[in-house]
Amino acid sequence: SMPDIRKTVCMSARRSWIILCSRFFADRECSIINRVADAVNDKTVRWYVMKLRSGISPEDITSEENAFKGSGFEELSFYYPVRKVVRRENRKMVTEELPYLPGLLFFRMRSDKVGRFMSLTGNKAWCYRVTNSPDSPYSFISRSEMTRFQRHIGKLTADVEMELVSRTSARSCH
């Protein structure tokens, strides 16, 4: 009869709504737990970006990489993507490298060491923070955002190359 069908459809719709809501809240709960775990586990290696002060080149900082690694920053790596530009100058073709983001130097290291690292760089650069407060945590770039950025400009770091290779290998096995 018609009332029984309506009742069945309503119950089915309610069940679907409850399942949909429970999945949403489970995903939301998982997201919150991951965020809290990230805040507690500050030994995670992440990408950060520093703004170079006027007159400072990326080489002024990257040239000290071996000294930094000897000071307990073994996982430290830098990323300063550039593109080649060819132009004509006095009937000659001149090639020069121009940065994608002038004055910004990306670096990857353990979260618990960023403060000490930035104090060692002295007044050459400053690292972005979550807010303007000097007590605010340093702002990191998620792995997925950094991978997307590197893929977009076509200049990959070793960690992103390995991630892409392992994903491709995993897909080809299926």
Side-chain angles (χ1 to χ4, degrees), residues 79 81-84 100 149-157 161:
Y79 179 64
V82 294
R83 64 183 187 277
K84 290 187 184 213
Y100 280 95
F149 172 66
Q150 290 183 24
R151 289 178 81 180
H152 178 74
I153 64 173
K155 308 282 184 197
L156 305 177
T157 54
E161 281 181 10

PDB file of all heavy atoms in Angstrom, residues 79 81-84 100 149-157 161:
ATOM      1  N   TYR A  79      65.524  24.453  -1.718  1.00  0.00           N
ATOM      2  CA  TYR A  79      64.864  24.426  -3.017  1.00  0.00           C
ATOM      3  C   TYR A  79      64.645  25.867  -3.475  1.00  0.00           C
ATOM      4  O   TYR A  79      63.938  26.637  -2.818  1.00  0.00           O
ATOM      5  CB  TYR A  79      63.531  23.679  -2.894  1.00  0.00           C
ATOM      6  CG  TYR A  79      62.721  23.585  -4.162  1.00  0.00           C
ATOM      7  CD1 TYR A  79      63.195  22.894  -5.261  1.00  0.00           C
ATOM      8  CD2 TYR A  79      61.456  24.153  -4.239  1.00  0.00           C
ATOM      9  CE1 TYR A  79      62.429  22.779  -6.420  1.00  0.00           C
ATOM     10  CE2 TYR A  79      60.693  24.045  -5.380  1.00  0.00           C
ATOM     11  CZ  TYR A  79      61.187  23.357  -6.466  1.00  0.00           C
ATOM     12  OH  TYR A  79      60.426  23.246  -7.606  1.00  0.00           O
ATOM     13  N   PRO A  81      63.751  27.191  -7.081  1.00  0.00           N
ATOM     14  CA  PRO A  81      63.520  26.881  -8.496  1.00  0.00           C
ATOM     15  C   PRO A  81      63.760  28.083  -9.398  1.00  0.00           C
ATOM     16  O   PRO A  81      63.343  29.198  -9.096  1.00  0.00           O
ATOM     17  CB  PRO A  81      62.056  26.453  -8.516  1.00  0.00           C
ATOM     18  CG  PRO A  81      61.437  27.152  -7.353  1.00  0.00           C
ATOM     19  CD  PRO A  81      62.516  27.238  -6.307  1.00  0.00           C
ATOM     20  N   VAL A  82      64.464  27.831 -10.488  1.00  0.00           N
ATOM     21  CA  VAL A  82      64.731  28.873 -11.480  1.00  0.00           C
ATOM     22  C   VAL A  82      64.325  28.360 -12.857  1.00  0.00           C
ATOM     23  O   VAL A  82      64.216  27.166 -13.088  1.00  0.00           O
ATOM     24  CB  VAL A  82      66.226  29.278 -11.498  1.00  0.00           C
ATOM     25  CG1 VAL A  82      66.618  29.940 -10.191  1.00  0.00           C
ATOM     26  CG2 VAL A  82      67.119  28.092 -11.785  1.00  0.00           C
ATOM     27  N   ARG A  83      64.122  29.285 -13.768  1.00  0.00           N
ATOM     28  CA  ARG A  83      63.799  28.937 -15.153  1.00  0.00           C
ATOM     29  C   ARG A  83      64.809  29.629 -16.056  1.00  0.00           C
ATOM     30  O   ARG A  83      65.312  30.698 -15.739  1.00  0.00           O
ATOM     31  CB  ARG A  83      62.373  29.348 -15.507  1.00  0.00           C
ATOM     32  CG  ARG A  83      62.127  30.836 -15.468  1.00  0.00           C
ATOM     33  CD  ARG A  83      60.655  31.155 -15.753  1.00  0.00           C
ATOM     34  NE  ARG A  83      60.439  32.576 -15.871  1.00  0.00           N
ATOM     35  CZ  ARG A  83      60.253  33.429 -14.877  1.00  0.00           C
ATOM     36  NH1 ARG A  83      60.266  32.983 -13.644  1.00  0.00           N
ATOM     37  NH2 ARG A  83      60.058  34.706 -15.090  1.00  0.00           N
ATOM     38  N   LYS A  84      65.110  28.997 -17.169  1.00  0.00           N
ATOM     39  CA  LYS A  84      66.056  29.577 -18.128  1.00  0.00           C
ATOM     40  C   LYS A  84      65.299  30.479 -19.090  1.00  0.00           C
ATOM     41  O   LYS A  84      64.268  30.086 -19.628  1.00  0.00           O
ATOM     42  CB  LYS A  84      66.790  28.489 -18.894  1.00  0.00           C
ATOM     43  CG  LYS A  84      67.757  27.740 -18.018  1.00  0.00           C
ATOM     44  CD  LYS A  84      68.602  26.781 -18.815  1.00  0.00           C
ATOM     45  CE  LYS A  84      69.454  26.041 -17.811  1.00  0.00           C
ATOM     46  NZ  LYS A  84      70.707  25.667 -18.213  1.00  0.00           N
ATOM     47  N   TYR A 100      61.611  31.621 -10.050  1.00  0.00           N
ATOM     48  CA  TYR A 100      60.156  31.657 -10.153  1.00  0.00           C
ATOM     49  C   TYR A 100      59.585  32.601  -9.103  1.00  0.00           C
ATOM     50  O   TYR A 100      58.639  33.324  -9.368  1.00  0.00           O
ATOM     51  CB  TYR A 100      59.557  30.252  -9.954  1.00  0.00           C
ATOM     52  CG  TYR A 100      59.633  29.401 -11.182  1.00  0.00           C
ATOM     53  CD1 TYR A 100      60.686  28.504 -11.369  1.00  0.00           C
ATOM     54  CD2 TYR A 100      58.664  29.476 -12.168  1.00  0.00           C
ATOM     55  CE1 TYR A 100      60.757  27.721 -12.507  1.00  0.00           C
ATOM     56  CE2 TYR A 100      58.727  28.691 -13.307  1.00  0.00           C
ATOM     57  CZ  TYR A 100      59.780  27.820 -13.465  1.00  0.00           C
ATOM     58  OH  TYR A 100      59.850  27.049 -14.602  1.00  0.00           O
ATOM     59  N   PHE A 149      53.062  22.182  -6.333  1.00  0.00           N
ATOM     60  CA  PHE A 149      53.838  23.331  -6.791  1.00  0.00           C
ATOM     61  C   PHE A 149      55.008  22.880  -7.663  1.00  0.00           C
ATOM     62  O   PHE A 149      55.224  23.404  -8.757  1.00  0.00           O
ATOM     63  CB  PHE A 149      54.344  24.128  -5.578  1.00  0.00           C
ATOM     64  CG  PHE A 149      55.322  25.220  -5.923  1.00  0.00           C
ATOM     65  CD1 PHE A 149      54.932  26.312  -6.664  1.00  0.00           C
ATOM     66  CD2 PHE A 149      56.638  25.141  -5.491  1.00  0.00           C
ATOM     67  CE1 PHE A 149      55.826  27.322  -6.982  1.00  0.00           C
ATOM     68  CE2 PHE A 149      57.541  26.146  -5.812  1.00  0.00           C
ATOM     69  CZ  PHE A 149      57.136  27.235  -6.558  1.00  0.00           C
ATOM     70  N   GLN A 150      55.750  21.893  -7.200  1.00  0.00           N
ATOM     71  CA  GLN A 150      56.908  21.414  -7.951  1.00  0.00           C
ATOM     72  C   GLN A 150      56.491  20.797  -9.286  1.00  0.00           C
ATOM     73  O   GLN A 150      57.163  20.997 -10.306  1.00  0.00           O
ATOM     74  CB  GLN A 150      57.713  20.413  -7.125  1.00  0.00           C
ATOM     75  CG  GLN A 150      58.433  21.072  -5.964  1.00  0.00           C
ATOM     76  CD  GLN A 150      59.282  20.097  -5.188  1.00  0.00           C
ATOM     77  OE1 GLN A 150      59.697  19.067  -5.704  1.00  0.00           O
ATOM     78  NE2 GLN A 150      59.554  20.415  -3.942  1.00  0.00           N
ATOM     79  N   ARG A 151      55.419  20.055  -9.281  1.00  0.00           N
ATOM     80  CA  ARG A 151      54.942  19.457 -10.538  1.00  0.00           C
ATOM     81  C   ARG A 151      54.499  20.548 -11.511  1.00  0.00           C
ATOM     82  O   ARG A 151      54.710  20.432 -12.714  1.00  0.00           O
ATOM     83  CB  ARG A 151      53.802  18.486 -10.272  1.00  0.00           C
ATOM     84  CG  ARG A 151      54.290  17.225  -9.576  1.00  0.00           C
ATOM     85  CD  ARG A 151      53.167  16.300  -9.280  1.00  0.00           C
ATOM     86  NE  ARG A 151      52.842  15.535 -10.485  1.00  0.00           N
ATOM     87  CZ  ARG A 151      51.890  14.639 -10.540  1.00  0.00           C
ATOM     88  NH1 ARG A 151      51.157  14.395  -9.485  1.00  0.00           N
ATOM     89  NH2 ARG A 151      51.652  13.974 -11.650  1.00  0.00           N
ATOM     90  N   HIS A 152      53.883  21.604 -10.982  1.00  0.00           N
ATOM     91  CA  HIS A 152      53.393  22.690 -11.835  1.00  0.00           C
ATOM     92  C   HIS A 152      54.538  23.394 -12.552  1.00  0.00           C
ATOM     93  O   HIS A 152      54.446  23.669 -13.742  1.00  0.00           O
ATOM     94  CB  HIS A 152      52.598  23.698 -10.997  1.00  0.00           C
ATOM     95  CG  HIS A 152      52.102  24.861 -11.787  1.00  0.00           C
ATOM     96  ND1 HIS A 152      51.058  24.764 -12.670  1.00  0.00           N
ATOM     97  CD2 HIS A 152      52.536  26.140 -11.844  1.00  0.00           C
ATOM     98  CE1 HIS A 152      50.863  25.936 -13.242  1.00  0.00           C
ATOM     99  NE2 HIS A 152      51.741  26.795 -12.754  1.00  0.00           N
ATOM    100  N   ILE A 153      55.614  23.675 -11.834  1.00  0.00           N
ATOM    101  CA  ILE A 153      56.728  24.380 -12.477  1.00  0.00           C
ATOM    102  C   ILE A 153      57.710  23.424 -13.146  1.00  0.00           C
ATOM    103  O   ILE A 153      58.555  23.851 -13.919  1.00  0.00           O
ATOM    104  CB  ILE A 153      57.463  25.330 -11.509  1.00  0.00           C
ATOM    105  CG1 ILE A 153      58.124  24.569 -10.368  1.00  0.00           C
ATOM    106  CG2 ILE A 153      56.535  26.389 -10.995  1.00  0.00           C
ATOM    107  CD1 ILE A 153      58.986  25.454  -9.502  1.00  0.00           C
ATOM    108  N   GLY A 154      57.617  22.132 -12.833  1.00  0.00           N
ATOM    109  CA  GLY A 154      58.449  21.138 -13.512  1.00  0.00           C
ATOM    110  C   GLY A 154      59.848  20.992 -12.950  1.00  0.00           C
ATOM    111  O   GLY A 154      60.713  20.435 -13.605  1.00  0.00           O
ATOM    112  N   LYS A 155      60.089  21.462 -11.758  1.00  0.00           N
ATOM    113  CA  LYS A 155      61.395  21.322 -11.100  1.00  0.00           C
ATOM    114  C   LYS A 155      61.157  20.558  -9.801  1.00  0.00           C
ATOM    115  O   LYS A 155      60.584  21.081  -8.860  1.00  0.00           O
ATOM    116  CB  LYS A 155      62.013  22.684 -10.766  1.00  0.00           C
ATOM    117  CG  LYS A 155      62.081  23.643 -11.922  1.00  0.00           C
ATOM    118  CD  LYS A 155      63.219  23.301 -12.828  1.00  0.00           C
ATOM    119  CE  LYS A 155      63.315  24.359 -13.930  1.00  0.00           C
ATOM    120  NZ  LYS A 155      64.083  23.949 -15.038  1.00  0.00           N
ATOM    121  N   LEU A 156      61.602  19.298  -9.776  1.00  0.00           N
ATOM    122  CA  LEU A 156      61.300  18.428  -8.643  1.00  0.00           C
ATOM    123  C   LEU A 156      62.512  18.231  -7.740  1.00  0.00           C
ATOM    124  O   LEU A 156      63.641  18.160  -8.208  1.00  0.00           O
ATOM    125  CB  LEU A 156      60.843  17.059  -9.139  1.00  0.00           C
ATOM    126  CG  LEU A 156      59.658  17.045 -10.110  1.00  0.00           C
ATOM    127  CD1 LEU A 156      59.369  15.631 -10.559  1.00  0.00           C
ATOM    128  CD2 LEU A 156      58.437  17.677  -9.481  1.00  0.00           C
ATOM    129  N   THR A 157      62.246  18.116  -6.443  1.00  0.00           N
ATOM    130  CA  THR A 157      63.286  17.745  -5.491  1.00  0.00           C
ATOM    131  C   THR A 157      63.285  16.224  -5.373  1.00  0.00           C
ATOM    132  O   THR A 157      62.346  15.559  -5.798  1.00  0.00           O
ATOM    133  CB  THR A 157      63.022  18.383  -4.112  1.00  0.00           C
ATOM    134  OG1 THR A 157      61.702  18.030  -3.691  1.00  0.00           O
ATOM    135  CG2 THR A 157      63.153  19.897  -4.157  1.00  0.00           C
ATOM    136  N   GLU A 161      60.355  13.442  -6.368  1.00  0.00           N
ATOM    137  CA  GLU A 161      60.621  12.464  -7.435  1.00  0.00           C
ATOM    138  C   GLU A 161      60.386  11.053  -6.929  1.00  0.00           C
ATOM    139  O   GLU A 161      59.753  10.245  -7.595  1.00  0.00           O
ATOM    140  CB  GLU A 161      62.056  12.600  -7.942  1.00  0.00           C
ATOM    141  CG  GLU A 161      62.268  13.749  -8.888  1.00  0.00           C
ATOM    142  CD  GLU A 161      63.695  13.829  -9.394  1.00  0.00           C
ATOM    143  OE1 GLU A 161      64.491  12.891  -9.164  1.00  0.00           O
ATOM    144  OE2 GLU A 161      64.014  14.837 -10.030  1.00  0.00           O
TER     145      GLU A 161
END
